[in-house]
Every structure is written in structure tokens, then in C-alpha cells.
Amino acid sequence: MALSGAERCLVLLLRLLSRAFLVLLSLAARASAALAPRPPALPPPAGATPARCVPPPGQPLLLLSAGQLARRIRRREVKCTDVVQAYIKRIEEINPLVNAVVKARFDAALQEAHHVDKLLSEGHGDEDSLQEKFPFLGVPFTVKEAFAVHGMPNTSGLVSRRNLISTSDALVVSRLKQAGAIPLGVTNCSELCMWYESSNNVYGRTNNPYDLQRIVGGSSGGEGCVLGAACSVIGVGSDIGGSIRMPAFFNGVFGHKPTTGVVPNDGQFPNALGVRTEFLCTGPMCRYAEDLEPMLRVMAGPGVRKLKLDEKVSLEKVKFYCMEHDGGSVFVSPVDREILQAQRKVVEHLETQCGVQVQHVTIHKMKYAFQIWSAMMSSRDSDGQEAQLFTDLLGDHGKPVWPLWELMKWFLGMSLHTIPAIALALTEKLMKLNPGGNAKLVSMGHSLRTEMMNLLGTDGILLYPSHPIVAPKHYSPLGMPFNFAYTAVFNVLGLPVTQCPLGLSSEGLPLGIQVVAGPHNDHLTLAMARYLEKAFGGWVCPGKS
């Protein structure tokens, strides 16, 4: 499906406008910095980490997986209060640099930790029964602010909701609590969870722990950041276009988008309506691959029966496929050389160490991933119900927002919304001008889903870049706004995908890869995540080469 001349002109116009906008932002930032009063410079302390990234964790408890922490707590080898206090101290040290935890519940978390220690000191249950009932007993975790956590804000970065406090827990949060985990607080996201830089007018911008001048991704960017910075060990995210996998990639951690319909989305704002219920997924994010499956079991609840997590996976019997890029879409950036090199190392390792043959494939429809995702997100569901308008969400049950008016207000510094949110509302209006073209793209999406399912079957894995570039600098996504297509296409295909870290680039920024399987074959991607962590080291502490 070739682009028409008008579409090519539109792409070029969008690129020119976005890059001109970036230049204006850069000039404004320089002018602001020049006018701002500067405090006297202080010499850095001896042995200090360069200001470019966060300092490494010094407390050994921060370097254990959730499973290891729960085991040590159950065996009374470490007090739960010591674990929670270690994470609180780390957040207090790092959060002024990254602005990831937007509301903490430290006092409540310490009280809950004391209850765990008391329970254990009184000898309630042996280790096996405690593990079965409370698999995450005493383990601290964090939650994307878009999810309801009792007593915490639930704004999703929308100014009109800034005084809203949750009076209940989202279902996945409740299940993790029931499994013994202790929430430390909620983390930043993009406005209404629909942009891949986590910045909004309620909490401000979150910085990447590997380079404070770069983005953390979105919309679960605060979660990716606290995990990468060792301020949390497990976290809750959601994903409708890559909102788990992009932050996991940019922050060097693991993130899993489950098969659609396995983990409940209840208790988050905004939640999906209409056809988007088939695309939105809630899933686990964590620093260590071994925690993905236990988290998925707890978060899915009865829905876990749809998966095959008890099946043993032998990678030697898996059919491996590889695509290094989308085929050259004009909407997205070319894939970085170091990302390609990392993917090729994975292929080489699988072929030499596992004795498998990785087949390079070309799936031509992937070139239109952005267009397919956009059209399917705006399509009607099987009952004919239209997708909820983003302008309605911006109004939050009030009057819908008029994007052109908001854009004028934004230039005057009077809008309550971020420029990505306004731009998305404008794009939504433009999409409705071409219903015939959208219908063709929706049909192409269904055809791609069939092609992908036939390729992967029940025993296939596809290796695919998590993003075409490493974590970009702040505001840069505005210059290439459609790069999220590398993750978004798998939402509309309904496939399970795990983002796996693959070390750091020459600039010290995380590298990674997406591992994709057929529907309800999440066990394959999770097994691959554990293997890649063992082979390539998994999460790397910020500041290390």
C-alpha cells in the first residue's frame, strides 16, 4: 500500500514543523537558562558519579530480585522493615534527580512492613505455606499513577484531576497487595498515557537515570525509571502502543505486554472502551527476568488459566524468526547501528549456543505499522461502537477540548494541556477525514494478524527491535513522533511481547530487543527473557560500561 503524493507531502510537512518546533524549544530553554540566577558552583565530592546519570546503589538489598527478597523475608534472614527502608532511602536519594515517584506512601509502607515482621515473629505458617499464600511477602513495589492506589492521586497527568484521590485499589494492585507486596508510591506518566515522553502539567518531567538529559519513555515512564535506577524492584504498567515496552527499553529493564484479555485493566484512567479493549494490556515491569512470571500469575488471577505457564520450554525446539527493521517506513527513524548489532549478537548466540537456525523474514505490512495502529485504534468494535475520542478524555467528562483553540492557548502559555496531547487531538481530527483509507488499513491489520499468527504458530518467536533509536534527548520525540510504531503494531495484533535488556551502548544507554510469540504463548517469551538475561547480563546499573 504505497503512500500517495499527498501523504508524502504531509509526512514532510509534519517533520519540518516538528523540527522547527524543536529549534524554538531549544532557543527558549537556552534563553531561560541564561536569565536564571546561578548558584555558586561547588566542587563535586570525591568519587562522585558524573551528574549525567544517577549514582549506583550502595545497599546490597537493592540488588536482589523480588523472588530473592521474599525468600529471605520468609526465612527471617532479613527484616521486611529493613528492605522497605532501604528502598525509601534510595528513592529519597534519587528522586530529586529523576522526578519519577510523584506521590509516596512511605509511612504506610513502613507500617505494613512492621506487620509482616510481626506476622513472621509470631510464627504464622511455615515457609512453604507462606510462599503459596504470599509469593511477594514484604516485597516493595511501585505503580504507574494511572492506576488507582488507595489514598494516592490518580490524575494520569490531567490538570483537571489534580485533586482526585483514589478510595480503592485497581484490581491488579489489590492482587499484588494480597500476595504480600507493599506499594511505596505512584510514578509519573504522560498526559492521559498517550505519549512516549513522561511529562505533564501536574508533575513535570521525568529524567532518564542513565542520562538525565534523556527521556524515560511513556506512558509508564516513571515505572521504567524507578526500576532502572534501583528505586523499585517490580512495578505495574499498562500498554496500548508500547507504554510498558518503550520505558523498559529506555531504562534497561524487563517489561511484558501479555496476550490481550489475560490481565484485567480495571481501575486505571483512562481505561479502554470499544475496540480499544482489545489493544490495552496491563502487565509487569521489573529489573530481573525471574520476577516476570510470578508477577504475571498474581496480576492475571484466574485469567492465568488462558496461558501455558506450567509448560516447560526447550529453546532448542523453538522456531526463531528475526526482522531487523520495519522495511523502511517514511514515518519512523532508521534503526540505530548499535541496536542492530545487539540483535545480531542475539541471533549469533542462539545459533552457536542453542544450535538453532534463526530465519530472517520480511513481513511487508510491518512497513505500515503506524498507519495500521492509528486506523485500528479509531475503528468501530464488533457492535458498531465508535472508539472514545481523545478530545473527550481531555475534557474528563466535561466539555470536549477543541484542539485548535488549545493550540492557540498553548502558544500564549494559557493551555492546561501538553503539546503532545494537543497534537494527538489534532491528528485524531485529521484521521476522520479519510474513512475509506482507514477501512483499508484496518483490513490490512487483520491480514497482518493472520500472517503473523500463521508464522509464529504455537512454537515460534520473532526477534524485533524495541525502538529504532536509543533513549532520545528531552523533546526529541516531537521531531519524530511515530517511532513508537515498533511497539504499537503488536497491540493491535494482540500478541504477547517481552522487552529484554541487552546491555549498554557506547554512550552508556540501554539496548534491548522485543521477543514476540503467538497468542497465549507468553511462556515462550518469558523463557526467552530468562535466557537472554543469563546470556547477556540483563539489567546494568546506571553509570557502568
Side-chain angles (χ1 to χ4, degrees):
M1 183 177 178
L3 290 175
S4 66
E7 287 174 321
R8 289 185 181 277
C9 289
L10 178 60
V11 171
L12 291 172
L13 179 62
L14 286 171
R15 287 185 179 179
L16 287 171
L17 287 174
S18 59
R19 285 170 184 172
F21 181 72
L22 282 174
V23 171
L24 288 173
L25 281 176
S26 176
L27 291 173
R30 290 179 185 178
S32 176
L35 293 172
R38 297 185 180 182
L42 296 174
T49 302
R52 179 190 169 200
C53 62
V54 302
Q59 166 60 263
L61 287 174
L62 301 175
L63 301 176
L64 298 176
S65 69
Q68 290 171 324
L69 285 172
R71 192 176 308 116
R72 292 196 179 192
I73 290 170
R74 285 194 304 269
R75 293 176 178 176
R76 302 163 182 81
E77 296 172 355
V78 62
K79 287 188 174 181
C80 179
T81 49
D82 291 338
V83 173
V84 170
Q85 189 61 64
Y87 272 99
I88 290 174
K89 185 177 179 182
R90 177 66 175 173
I91 292 172
E92 290 175 338
E93 175 192 13
I94 299 303
N95 209 52
L97 297 173
V98 296
N99 186 38
V101 178
V102 294
K103 185 67 175 178
R105 57 185 304 279
F106 293 159
D107 290 341
L110 282 170
Q111 288 181 4
E112 290 157 15
H114 281 295
H115 287 314
V116 171
D117 288 334
K118 184 179 178 183
L119 172 79
L120 292 169
S121 67
E122 292 173 353
H124 291 284
D126 57 24
E127 184 183 343
D128 290 340
S129 62
L130 285 172
Q131 181 178 3
E132 183 177 354
K133 189 175 182 181
F134 305 112
F136 289 107
L137 184 63
V139 175
F141 75 107
T142 42
V143 183
K144 181 181 184 178
E145 198 260 15
F147 288 88
V149 178
H150 185 272
M152 294 282 102
N154 181 217
T155 71
S156 286
L158 200 60
V159 171
S160 61
R161 292 172 62 92
R162 61 186 161 197
N163 296 319
L164 191 151
I165 302 297
S166 299
T167 57
S168 61
D169 291 322
L171 185 51
V172 290
V173 174
S174 176
R175 286 175 176 173
L176 283 166
K177 281 185 172 182
Q178 291 168 11
I182 298 174
L184 295 174
V186 291
T187 56
N188 206 16
C189 57
S190 54
E191 186 176 10
L192 286 175
C193 303
M194 288 297 284
W195 182 237
Y196 70 100
E197 175 157 18
S198 290
S199 179
N200 57 69
N201 291 334
V202 180
Y203 304 118
R205 186 184 74 195
T206 301
N207 302 318
N208 193 298
Y210 293 84
D211 183 343
L212 301 176
Q213 302 302 312
R214 295 178 183 266
I215 74 169
V216 292
S219 59
S220 310
E223 272 309 298
C225 177
V226 294
L227 291 165
C231 294
S232 182
V233 63
I234 55 175
V236 175
S238 57
D239 189 316
I240 200 169
S243 292
I244 285 174
R245 289 159 289 149
M246 278 187 293
F249 171 67
F250 291 145
N251 295 279
V253 297
F254 292 90
H256 181 66
K257 183 200 85 66
T259 299
T260 304
V262 172
V263 179
N265 294 318
D266 309 58
Q268 63 180 293
F269 178 84
N271 207 335
L273 295 174
V275 72
R276 293 180 187 176
T277 58
E278 300 175 21
F279 309 146
L280 177 64
C281 293
T282 296
M285 301 175 69
C286 53
R287 245 184 300 145
Y288 301 102
E290 69 176 75
D291 294 326
L292 284 170
E293 183 182 317
M295 282 191 74
L296 182 57
R297 288 180 183 274
V298 170
M299 294 169 73
V304 78
R305 291 194 294 265
K306 299 176 182 178
L307 304 180
K308 311 167 187 175
L309 298 185
D310 292 325
E311 282 192 15
K312 185 176 176 61
V313 177
S314 175
L315 292 180
E316 292 80 3
K317 298 179 180 178
V318 170
K319 297 175 183 176
F320 285 96
Y321 305 95
C322 175
M323 269 187 76
E324 294 189 343
H325 54 77
D326 66 355
S329 169
V330 296
F331 285 95
V332 302
S333 303
V335 179
D336 275 0
R337 177 179 56 83
E338 289 190 86
I339 293 174
L340 289 175
Q341 288 176 342
Q343 182 163 331
R344 288 166 185 168
K345 286 180 181 177
V346 170
V347 171
E348 181 182 351
H349 184 91
L350 288 170
E351 291 185 335
T352 56
Q353 300 300 318
C354 295
V356 300
Q357 182 179 359
V358 180
Q359 181 180 344
H360 289 259
V361 294
T362 301
I363 304 171
H364 295 287
K365 296 183 185 71
M366 294 290 276
K367 184 177 180 178
Y368 308 102
F370 165 69
Q371 298 99 305
I372 289 171
W373 179 86
S374 298
M376 294 185 76
M377 282 282 287
S378 303
S379 63
R380 296 174 182 265
D381 65 11
S382 56
D383 296 326
Q385 180 181 352
E386 286 191 342
Q388 187 173 18
L389 294 175
F390 188 67
T391 49
D392 292 340
L393 287 172
L394 285 173
D396 189 25
H397 304 99
K399 292 182 179 179
V401 167
W402 295 95
L404 280 175
W405 175 237
E406 284 301 320
L407 183 61
M408 293 173 63
K409 287 166 62 178
W410 185 87
F411 277 112
L412 295 172
M414 298 173 61
S415 177
L416 298 178
H417 303 291
T418 58
I419 192 64
I422 297 169
L424 178 59
L426 284 168
T427 304
E428 182 180 62
K429 295 288 186 184
L430 292 173
M431 287 292 295
K432 288 191 170 293
L433 299 178
N434 186 20
N438 289 343
K440 290 180 181 178
L441 287 165
V442 170
S443 177
M444 183 185 289
H446 292 312
S447 174
L448 176 58
R449 180 186 296 169
T450 300
E451 182 179 354
M452 195 72 77
M453 290 172 63
N454 289 339
L455 175 73
L456 296 173
T458 59
D459 59 353
I461 282 178
L462 173 69
L463 305 174
Y464 195 67
S466 299
H467 201 75
I469 62 175
V470 294
K473 291 188 175 181
H474 292 302
Y475 306 117
S476 293
L478 292 168
M480 211 61 184
F482 309 124
N483 280 348
F484 70 92
Y486 268 77
T487 49
V489 66
F490 297 112
N491 289 83
V492 294
L493 299 181
L495 303 177
V497 190
T498 308
Q499 136 63 31
C500 304
L502 293 175
L504 304 182
S505 72
S506 58
E507 295 181 279
L509 299 171
L511 301 168
I513 194 170
Q514 287 187 99
V515 181
V516 187
H520 303 108
N521 288 291
D522 300 52
H523 65 300
L524 296 179
T525 72
L526 299 180
M528 189 63 180
R530 293 189 294 270
Y531 181 83
L532 290 177
E533 180 181 50
K534 185 176 180 181
F536 293 91
W539 171 75
V540 179
C541 182
K544 288 190 175 181
S545 59

